[in-house]
Amino acid sequence: MKEIKIIKNRSDIGAGTRGSDMGIDAIEIAAINKGSNYFEQFEFEDVITKNESVYNKENNSFAKRIESVFDQCKRLSNHVKVNLQEDKFPIVLSGDHSSALGTISGVKAANSTKRVGVVWIDAHGDLHSPYTSPSGNIHGMPLAAAIGDDNVDCQVNDIDRETSELWDRMKNIGIPGQKVQPEDVIFFGVRDTEEPEDKQMERHGIKNYKVAEVRYRGLEVCVNEALEKLSNCEVIYISFDVDAMDCDMVSYGTGTPVPKGFDQYEIIDIINQLLESKKVACLEFVEVNPLLDFKGNKMAETAFDVLEKVTETIRKI
């Protein structure tokens, strides 16, 4: 059994709405209210943040706060890399989803000779680049940077040289170059994308197990198929954005809620089955935003239920 290390990354500068930086504390409060000593069981690290950069008005609208997001991802990458090199299992609790680039970069840096697979459990594809993004929010761009694809065939934005240079630096965090091959990315629950992302998914053949397919064909069948698609990968990283869950059924306590998603029990089963492959090296939870939760602390409580259940599986493998 590997030692678990909790990495707390309270950063929300890649999002369009403030508040996901409070998600980790909301999850901890959920644990306390449940009477759980979960956060007393494991060592943790806090990643230094640059959340004050939200007050910087000199931002390129096509990649908001990119310099600060770059710094944040670089720091997180180092935390993840060091813990993996120490043979620990990092559970990363982050604010917004731009953090995933840092985590993936850290996983790859610690496994530079190995092929890394990504299972992306999310309502969104997060495959935009500064060249295609309609919002400029970098939490919609981490996968594009990880696979090293700007998708310039679908370019709609003319970005300046400084942004272009910073974006190139983001793609080279941890170790230079592509972290993940596009064919080694699997989506679960993605259901809110824009045309540039759809074309990118089609071009690279990225498989998206939609909620309806998982329920129709069977969760176990779909996850086994996903693992088969990643059979050439020695290492797998799982990214769980809580908006993969149905906002009407669970909560609107996330930056970009989308209806018709999974319930928490399906999420638990997907992650647990992936963990049982013994290839998963790192797991990340993102985008809990208690400021948007009109059901009290429901999203954080649900996220903690998932966290608690999957940690039981990590401790067994």
Side-chain angles (χ1 to χ4, degrees), residues 3 7 21 32 41 43 79 109 125 166 181 196 210 212 238 307:
E3 180 185 345
I7 299 177
D21 60 320
I32 292 167
Q41 297 177 48
E43 291 186 3
H79 278 268
L166 282 164
Q181 298 178 37
K210 294 185 178 182
I238 302 174
L307 178 62

Side-chain angles (χ1 to χ4, degrees), residues 196-251:
E197 293 176 298
D198 295 335
K199 288 184 176 179
Q200 207 169 12
M201 290 164 65
E202 183 179 359
R203 183 169 70 250
H204 291 305
I206 297 174
K207 174 61 180 174
N208 177 22
Y209 289 97
K210 294 185 178 182
V211 177
E213 179 180 356
V214 171
R215 290 174 179 167
Y216 177 74
R217 296 182 60 209
L219 187 148
E220 186 175 348
V221 169
C222 292
V223 177
N224 279 334
E225 190 173 279
L227 287 168
E228 179 60 29
K229 290 177 185 294
L230 299 178
S231 59
N232 292 324
C233 298
E234 297 106 312
V235 175
I236 294 173
Y237 155 76
I238 302 174
S239 196
F240 169 46
D241 185 325
V242 296
D243 69 23
M245 296 187 291
D246 190 302
C247 58
D248 294 319
M249 187 188 309
V250 179
S251 168

Side-chain angles (χ1 to χ4, degrees), residues 120-155:
W120 198 261
I121 306 171
D122 196 335
H124 307 89
D126 295 342
L127 282 167
H128 278 294
S129 75
Y131 299 94
T132 67
S133 174
S135 69
N137 297 322
I138 300 178
H139 70 166
M141 307 184 195
L143 263 185
I147 66 174
D149 185 357
D150 297 343
N151 197 14
V152 290
D153 290 347
C154 297
Q155 180 172 352

Side-chain angles (χ1 to χ4, degrees), residues 9 37 39 44 185 209 261 317:
N9 176 41
N37 69 340
F39 287 98
F44 69 90
V185 175
Y209 289 97
I317 58 176

Side-chain angles (χ1 to χ4, degrees), residues 7-231:
I7 299 177
K8 301 177 183 179
N9 176 41
R10 295 180 175 86
S11 175
D12 70 349
I13 53 177
T17 306
R18 295 303 310 273
S20 61
D21 60 320
M22 302 178 190
I24 297 162
D25 295 314
I27 292 171
E28 292 189 7
I29 289 167
I32 292 167
N33 289 343
K34 192 177 179 180
S36 170
N37 69 340
Y38 180 93
F39 287 98
E40 298 170 34
Q41 297 177 48
F42 309 109
E43 291 186 3
F44 69 90
E45 296 174 355
D46 281 308
V47 183
I48 296 171
T49 64
K50 299 191 74 171
N51 288 339
E52 69 280 359
S53 67
V54 297
Y55 300 112
N56 176 12
K57 303 303 180 184
E58 296 177 8
N59 288 310
N60 187 306
S61 60
F62 304 130
K64 296 173 183 174
R65 296 176 285 279
I66 186 170
E67 185 170 7
S68 297
V69 175
F70 165 72
D71 289 340
Q72 192 66 32
C73 287
K74 191 166 59 172
R75 276 197 290 266
L76 179 56
S77 172
N78 191 58
H79 278 268
V80 171
K81 179 186 72 173
V82 169
N83 277 285
L84 287 170
Q85 288 173 336
E86 293 175 352
D87 203 31
K88 294 176 182 175
F89 190 106
I91 297 178
V92 183
L93 304 179
S94 287
D96 76 79
H97 215 168
S98 65
S99 62
L101 174 60
T103 307
I104 293 170
S105 298
V107 172
K108 182 62 178 177
N111 297 277
S112 59
T113 62
K114 296 180 180 178
R115 192 160 161 178
V116 176
V118 170
V119 177
W120 198 261
I121 306 171
D122 196 335
H124 307 89
D126 295 342
L127 282 167
H128 278 294
S129 75
Y131 299 94
T132 67
S133 174
S135 69
N137 297 322
I138 300 178
H139 70 166
M141 307 184 195
L143 263 185
I147 66 174
D149 185 357
D150 297 343
N151 197 14
V152 290
D153 290 347
C154 297
Q155 180 172 352
V156 293
N157 303 324
D158 293 321
I159 67 173
D160 61 28
R161 187 177 69 180
E162 181 184 15
T163 302
S164 176
E165 290 173 352
L166 282 164
W167 178 247
D168 285 341
R169 290 171 69 189
M170 286 190 71
K171 291 183 287 185
N172 288 286
I173 293 171
I175 62 172
Q178 185 186 55
K179 309 303 181 295
V180 180
Q181 298 178 37
E183 59 266 32
D184 294 333
V185 175
I186 302 284
F187 287 148
F188 275 89
V190 171
R191 57 196 185 278
D192 185 13
T193 55
E194 282 83 32
E195 184 178 356
E197 293 176 298
D198 295 335
K199 288 184 176 179
Q200 207 169 12
M201 290 164 65
E202 183 179 359
R203 183 169 70 250
H204 291 305
I206 297 174
K207 174 61 180 174
N208 177 22
Y209 289 97
K210 294 185 178 182
V211 177
E213 179 180 356
V214 171
R215 290 174 179 167
Y216 177 74
R217 296 182 60 209
L219 187 148
E220 186 175 348
V221 169
C222 292
V223 177
N224 279 334
E225 190 173 279
L227 287 168
E228 179 60 29
K229 290 177 185 294
L230 299 178
S231 59

